[in-house]
Amino acid sequence: MVMTNNTAVVETAAPAVQTPRLNFAKVAPKVFKAVIGLDAAARDGLDPALVELIQIRASHLNGCAYCLHMHTNDARKAGESEDRLHMVAVWREARNFFTAKEQAALALTDAVTRLADAGVPDAVYAEAAAHFDESELAQVLSLIFAINTWNRIALSTGKVAGTDERQG
């Protein structure tokens, strides 16, 4: 810390270039393939736009730049609007951008992703259950579980935002 005109200024070092720590797919291929299987099974039957919104929201909450970059790009390729993509982070203040069903899924994503904060409140679960039948609700929950797992893999192993191992 440096004092300038009686004002404390915190000096920060230039951010280090992020380098991958571990190629998880290579060193734990069975686990990696199992997570791919969970992800694929979770998506089955869900609206692709909803899938991307859930993945983007969980990635925001978890601070996973790698997954956020990947899923915003996937959403754009699927035709998602820039307006909606920008509003996912503040969806509660921008409800007019999302359907009631999407809002219920985003609220559930928030609760499950931040499970340690307050669990999944009954009201959040009930709202989701009002918009999804039991089978769909299980799929949505599974997708939230999957993206949270991917976020933790990416963050723990040092995945670099802007790279996408699916492309090679």
Side-chain angles (χ1 to χ4, degrees), residues 16-77:
V17 175
Q18 185 177 357
T19 56
R21 295 176 177 162
L22 175 73
N23 183 334
F24 192 78
K26 183 178 179 180
V27 298
K30 288 182 180 178
V31 177
F32 191 78
K33 287 178 185 174
V35 178
I36 288 172
L38 169 63
D39 186 89
R43 295 166 180 261
D44 191 38
L46 291 178
D47 174 15
L50 182 66
V51 167
E52 295 306 331
L53 292 176
I54 289 169
Q55 293 178 124
I56 290 166
R57 181 59 181 158
S59 298
H60 277 143
L61 295 173
N62 287 320
C64 185
Y66 176 82
C67 293
L68 183 59
H69 181 264
M70 179 188 302
H71 293 296
T72 53
N73 280 341
D74 289 349
R76 280 185 193 97
K77 290 174 189 170

Side-chain angles (χ1 to χ4, degrees), residues 112-156:
V112 173
T113 300
R114 294 179 167 162
L115 201 56
D117 291 352
V120 178
D122 289 340
V124 170
Y125 188 88
E127 184 66 19
H131 291 281
F132 298 95
D133 66 32
E134 275 191 343
S135 178
E136 290 174 313
L137 187 54
Q139 293 301 120
V140 168
L141 284 166
S142 298
L143 183 66
I144 298 167
F145 304 155
I147 188 57
N148 275 281
T149 300
W150 284 126
N151 289 165
R152 281 151 179 76
I153 290 169
L155 289 165
S156 299

